[in-house]
């Protein structure tokens, strides 16, 4: 008979697994809450204290830290048999452990003393011991693997490959656990920890990076990183970046909206009542750039929209859902990636630099929109400014956006000076700019950008304000009869 040690904080599924183990001639070792859960349903087990001949002590802090436990886990078959027999150590073949919920308790507002009690000692020690000795021992740290474990037990045991995979997963779990503790302890009373440990799962190698000569992978099992296309080619490195950019802007809108992105910048944005007309309006902002673009929509894609999408070259479409008919129509473009819009994941932004990383957190903030000119904007201009401002915050700096109430008209992005961004936006506009509103992601240091906008026909402008020459810019706006608003918040995007 074989021994299995069961010691879990989360009891979900453990009784079912234990019953399979008993049925296939395993003897069970357990204690505490896990033992109580087994006892409640009549599953036989041996208490750890009975097995070791040593009582639990210090309110359960010391119970599995004993040679009869760790010797049983670490003993090498055919090498350590004699010493194990000499000291009465039974080999343990399966270790099923999940840890105290330290990560979850960080959000509960506990004191340091209370958090310390959620640092598991015996659990990680057993997990690491079993993972080290995976040649002989299977270790399970995730209840999602209980079905796989049960299948292996039914067929007579684990393959070496299965034990290795379980061991790798176990070390990843203890690494994440220790990382969470380190982040907490080195981050007390400060916004960011002194030592930062990050872990992302689900790593997949991509065909290449931004260019074919670069290698790349994606990590993550939630949000955009965790999505797999419903159809089309494998997601590329650039696809992930562009979808991230498109979805970030799309989530600014509650109304029906379409965002079209090319090379990480929006090239078309529109809102409307129906998705088809909204998509066409967004595409017509810059149809040349829309060729080979990423299209993000916040309404279900129906057959009419699918037909319009397949009428041009679209790299990828992302939407919350698709009708069966729409999916059938889009199969005609077999290389077009079709992705479901995932739920958002709130996390810090991480970017690598030479020798380290930059970490950025966007807390909730409030803008203070105030009119600074003699003329106040009318309702049309206000709606246009709100649309332009949303788009501006998701466009590479320096960013200048022209918009009306329903759609972007001109986009100037990523230039070294703001005037050139404005000139590009004017030059690329395919509709008259008369009566449009303009947004600038940062303050206007001189009146020149405003003058370019006014000459093109814009009648309102929104910007953060804060320049030492604000008064000069305000005077120019008054002279040109431009209604101008300061928001107090800058939106640089590099």
């Amino acid at each position: 008979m074989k021994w299995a040690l069961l010691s879990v904080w989360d009891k979900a599924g453990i009784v079912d697994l234990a019953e399979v183990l008993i049925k296939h001639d395993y003897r069970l070792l357990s204690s505490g809450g896990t033992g109580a859960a087994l006892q409640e349903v009549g599953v036989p087990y041996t208490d750890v204290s009975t097995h070791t001949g040593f009582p639990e002590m210090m309110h359960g802090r010391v119970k599995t830290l004993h040679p009869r436990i760790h010797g049983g886990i670490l003993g090498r078959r055919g090498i350590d048999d004699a010493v194990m027999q000499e000291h009465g150590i039974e080999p343990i073949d399966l270790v099923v452990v999940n840890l105290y919920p330290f990560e979850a308790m960080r959000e509960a507002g506990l004191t340091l003393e209370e958090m310390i009690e959620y640092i598991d000692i015996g659990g990680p020690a057993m997990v690491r011991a079993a993972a080290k000795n995976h040649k002989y021992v299977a270790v399970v740290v995730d209840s999602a693997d209980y079905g796989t474990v049960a299948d292996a037990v039914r067929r007579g045991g684990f393959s070496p490959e299965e034990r290795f995979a379980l061991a790798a997963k176990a070390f990843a779990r203890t690494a994440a656990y220790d990382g969470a503790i380190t982040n907490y302890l080195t981050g007390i009373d400060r916004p960011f920890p002194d030592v930062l440990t990050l872990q992302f799962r689900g790593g997949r190698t991509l065909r290449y990076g931004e260019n074919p000569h670069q290698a790349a992978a994606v990590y993550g099992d939630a949000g955009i990183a965790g999505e797999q296309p419903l159809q089309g080619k494998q997601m590329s490195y650039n696809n992930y970046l562009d979808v991230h950019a498109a979805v970030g802007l799309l989530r600014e809108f509650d109304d029906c909206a379409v965002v079209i992105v090319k090379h990480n910048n929006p090239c078309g944005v529109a809102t409307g009542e129906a998705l088809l007309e909204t998509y066409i309006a967004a595409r017509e902002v810059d149809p040349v750039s829309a060729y080979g673009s990423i299209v993000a929509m916040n309404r279900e894609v129906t057959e009419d929209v699918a037909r319009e999408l397949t009428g041009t070259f679209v790299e990828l479409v992302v939407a919350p859902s698709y009708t069966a008919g729409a999916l059938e129509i889009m199969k005609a473009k077999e290389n077009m990636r079709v992705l479901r819009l995932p739920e958002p994941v709130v996390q810090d932004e991480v970017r690598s630099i030479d020798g380290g990383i930059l970490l950025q957190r966007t807390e909730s903030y409030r803008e203070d929109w105030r009119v600074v000119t003699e003329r106040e904007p009318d309702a049309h201009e206000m709606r246009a400014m709100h649309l332009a401002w949303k788009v501006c915050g998701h466009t590479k700096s320096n960013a200048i956006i022209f918009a009306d109430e329903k759609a972007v008209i001109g986009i100037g992005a990523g230039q070294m000076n703001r005037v050139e961004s404005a000139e590009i936006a004017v030059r690329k506009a395919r509709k008259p700019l008369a009566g449009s509103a303009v947004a600038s992601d940062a303050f206007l240091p001189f009146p020149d950008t405003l003058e370019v906008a006014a000459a093109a026909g814009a009648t309102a402008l929104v910007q953060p304000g804060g320049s030492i020459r604000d008064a000069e810019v305000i005077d120019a706006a008054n002279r040109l009869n431009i209604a101008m608003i300061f928001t107090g918040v800058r939106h640089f995007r590099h």
Side-chain angles (χ1 to χ4, degrees), residues 97-98 140-146 169:
V97 172
N98 59 56
V140 183
V141 295
D142 186 349
S143 60
D145 291 325
Y146 289 176
K169 188 171 185 177

Side-chain angles (χ1 to χ4, degrees), residues 345-407:
V345 176
V346 179
Q347 61 187 17
D348 293 338
E349 181 182 351
V350 181
R351 298 177 70 175
S352 62
I353 59 172
D354 188 10
I357 65 168
L358 294 171
L359 192 68
Q360 179 169 258
R361 180 176 304 151
T362 304
E363 305 280 7
S364 296
Y365 63 91
R366 180 174 178 174
E367 297 176 350
D368 180 23
W369 282 46
R370 59 188 180 92
V371 179
V372 295
T373 48
E374 295 170 358
R375 184 175 76 79
E376 294 201 4
D378 61 26
H380 157 77
E381 290 169 329
M382 282 297 293
R383 288 191 289 269
M385 280 192 286
H386 276 289
L387 175 57
W389 186 247
K390 287 177 180 179
V391 178
C392 198
H394 292 265
T395 305
K396 298 294 185 182
S397 300
N398 288 311
I400 297 292
I401 307 296
F402 287 76
D404 60 23
E405 295 182 66
K406 292 292 187 180

Side-chain angles (χ1 to χ4, degrees), residues 156-183:
F158 297 84
S159 69
E161 293 77 16
E162 287 173 325
R163 289 196 301 271
F164 181 85
L166 289 169
K169 188 171 185 177
F171 277 123
R173 176 67 189 113
T174 58
Y177 194 74
D178 286 340
I181 295 169
T182 302
N183 291 346

